[in-house]
Every structure is written in structure tokens, then in C-alpha cells.
Amino acid sequence: RIKMLPQRLKKAITDNPKKLGNLIDLVNLPSTLREFLGQSQISRLGCFMRVWSYIKTNNLQDPKNKNVVNCDDKLKSILLGKQRVELVDLPSLIKLHFPKEPK
């Protein structure tokens, strides 16, 4: 499953295994994310994978620039209402829905 992830995320996981814990721990989801995913708990990594799968399934990548996602209404609901999102910004936008890690 890790090979499906963007290169930057793969590198972050392999460089810092502690980060992996933050990515794979199950958390209770806020209502917007719960409605989008249809479940009440998921890990950050799982959430990212589901959103990425949704983007691919619904052909939301810009055909001229694969680094850009054209958001439909459902995707906009979890990405701050943005029309278009750069792929590199996707993990940070998803992360906003998750509680801060305790220091």
C-alpha cells in the first residue's frame, strides 16, 4: 500500500518512523470528513488514501496538469471550499481535519 503514496510522503515515513505512528493511529473524525468518507474513525494515512482514491475514481486530476486536482462539490466540502488544489497541498489540507499531536 505504501507504494501508492506520493514520493514526498514515502520519504517522510521512511526518514522518521515516529511520523508513521501519527499517520496510522485511528482518530475520531469531524463531521465533514465523516460524511465524505462514510465512517467515523480512520487514520490520517487511511484518509489520504481514500481521498486520493476518490480523486482517481472520479477523474478529478486536471488533464493538462496532473499536479492539479479540480474539486467537485463533495471534495470541496473537505478542502476548504477550494475549486482547484495542488497535489502537494493535499496532505496539509487533509491534516487540518485531524487533532494536533500531543507534544
Side-chain angles (χ1 to χ4, degrees):
R1 302 262 298 180
I2 202 166
K3 69 181 178 186
M4 289 174 56
L5 296 174
Q7 192 61 41
R8 211 175 84 184
L9 196 55
K10 271 191 241 179
K11 184 171 172 21
I13 291 169
T14 51
D15 286 356
N16 186 352
K18 271 190 183 174
K19 272 192 177 175
L20 184 59
N22 294 336
L23 289 172
I24 62 173
D25 289 340
L26 286 182
V27 291
N28 291 320
L29 296 175
S31 58
T32 49
L33 220 44
R34 194 175 310 141
E35 287 166 24
F36 181 87
L37 297 171
Q39 61 191 88
S40 61
Q41 280 192 326
I42 197 168
S43 65
R44 240 172 60 204
L45 184 59
C47 180
F48 180 81
M49 300 293 282
R50 293 281 297 276
V51 171
W52 179 241
S53 174
Y54 179 83
I55 290 166
K56 296 296 268 184
T57 302
N58 292 286
N59 295 317
L60 296 177
Q61 277 181 286
D62 191 310
K64 295 182 192 103
N65 180 356
K66 293 287 188 184
N67 292 322
V68 174
V69 174
N70 296 314
C71 300
D72 63 5
D73 288 340
K74 188 173 178 182
L75 197 54
K76 273 192 239 175
S77 73
I78 64 163
L79 299 179
L80 306 177
K82 294 179 181 272
Q83 291 281 353
R84 294 165 59 88
V85 174
E86 295 276 334
L87 274 184
V88 295
D89 297 333
L90 207 54
S92 56
L93 287 169
I94 291 170
K95 184 180 177 181
L96 293 174
H97 292 283
F98 286 82
K100 302 274 184 271
E101 296 97 28
K103 298 241 181 269

